[in-house]
Amino acid sequence: MIIETKTVYRLFAEWSFDKEEEWLNSMAQEGWTLKKVGFCKYVFERTEPGEYIIRLAMHDADEEYMELMRESGAEYVGRVLQWLYFRKKAELGEFELFSDIDSRIAHLNRISCVLIGLGFANMAVSFACGVNGADIVGRINLLCACVIFYGLGRVHGKKEALERERRIRE
């Protein structure tokens, strides 16, 4: 039996993980389920439309977490840096990685920590290059820092919306 596959190259910003997940699930609805993932590279296999639900999360791939995912019926698809990708057959029921508002906020906090580190690292390189006369490299790093801090603002906005929702429910 030959399995039909296709590879798509696409870039998502770290703070657009929800859009990436939405796109992966729309592909699954069309009958293309994520089989393998790499940096900006997605390998899909032909399945029945809507057969799988795809989820991703920034999380350590420790054995306890991976066992929890296996017990829920989820299959580990792959990893890109700290992002873990899972799929689960839709017939097995709902598939959510975050069960409540607090777990979603904790997820956004993990993303924020990474973005803060990357942003300040780029700022440091930018200033070091400026002092050493490597002007173009410094400007590129400064631009990267600005983009990263913009993304941090987007994540902060999502977090504030969840915190408002939590206050309303209390």
Side-chain angles (χ1 to χ4, degrees), residues 25-150:
N25 281 295
S26 71
M27 293 292 288
Q29 285 297 319
E30 295 171 14
W32 290 104
T33 300
L34 187 64
K35 178 183 179 180
K36 188 176 175 185
V37 65
F39 183 71
C40 300
K41 179 181 178 181
Y42 302 86
V43 179
F44 297 92
E45 66 182 343
R46 176 61 83 184
T47 58
E48 289 296 317
E51 184 177 354
Y52 284 92
I53 300 167
I54 313 297
R55 296 287 180 242
L56 62 136
M58 181 180 280
H59 201 286
D60 293 331
D62 59 71
E63 190 53 42
E64 183 181 330
Y65 185 73
M66 299 304 276
E67 181 61 29
L68 178 68
M69 290 295 100
R70 281 190 291 276
E71 287 175 3
S72 76
E75 298 173 49
Y76 172 72
V77 175
R79 173 187 189 136
V80 177
L81 302 173
Q82 293 181 341
W83 288 97
L84 303 176
Y85 294 75
F86 297 95
R87 69 184 193 177
K88 182 177 176 180
K89 288 206 176 241
E91 68 187 24
L92 297 177
E94 278 192 47
F95 182 32
E96 295 297 331
L97 296 180
F98 309 107
S99 57
D100 59 10
I101 290 175
D102 289 333
S103 63
R104 286 189 233 151
I105 289 172
H107 183 245
L108 293 173
N109 285 336
R110 283 191 296 274
I111 295 168
S112 293
C113 287
V114 170
L115 291 174
I116 288 169
L118 288 172
F120 281 118
N122 275 278
M123 290 289 287
V125 170
S126 174
F127 292 133
C129 288
V131 169
N132 293 326
D135 201 32
I136 189 69
V137 174
R139 288 181 186 188
I140 290 170
N141 278 278
L142 183 59
L143 176 63
C144 288
C146 290
V147 170
I148 290 167
F149 287 130
Y150 164 80

